[in-house]
Amino acid sequence: MLRNADDTAVYEELQKIAAIHLSRAAGQPSLQPTALVHEAWLRLHQRGWKSRTHFLALASRAMRMVLIDSVRARFAAKRSS
């Protein structure tokens, strides 16, 4: 739940970062920007961050790792078939 204008601004920034990562992803990513933001949040919610910039950098890295994990899972599924 977004509590104030700053939360909304951070969420919008996360959406932009997610869209950038998805546009750079090879193939057809199965995630939408909102899902990618939420997956990154699940990975970050217990970690501490020093500033807004630090949080956005960690979130960006988490999003990239979510995409990498997604691609790995797809390739693993293809190999097992």
Side-chain angles (χ1 to χ4, degrees), residues 3-56:
R3 294 189 175 103
N4 58 39
D6 192 45
D7 288 347
T8 302
V10 169
Y11 189 76
E12 289 173 359
E13 187 68 26
L14 290 172
Q15 288 282 340
K16 289 177 188 176
I17 293 168
I20 290 168
H21 281 296
L22 288 168
S23 72
R24 293 179 181 168
Q28 296 293 328
S30 60
L31 293 171
Q32 296 296 319
T34 301
L36 186 54
V37 168
H38 292 186
E39 288 291 326
W41 173 253
L42 290 174
R43 292 183 181 205
L44 289 175
H45 79 282
Q46 292 183 356
R47 293 182 67 178
W49 46 84
K50 299 173 186 170
S51 66
R52 179 179 171 161
T53 303
H54 186 227
F55 169 74
L56 292 173

Side-chain angles (χ1 to χ4, degrees), residues 57-78:
L58 289 174
S60 179
R61 179 147 176 90
M63 288 179 204
R64 180 163 162 67
M65 296 310 298
V66 167
L67 288 173
I68 289 169
D69 290 346
S70 174
V71 170
R72 286 181 180 156
R74 273 189 304 201
F75 283 135
K78 284 183 182 181

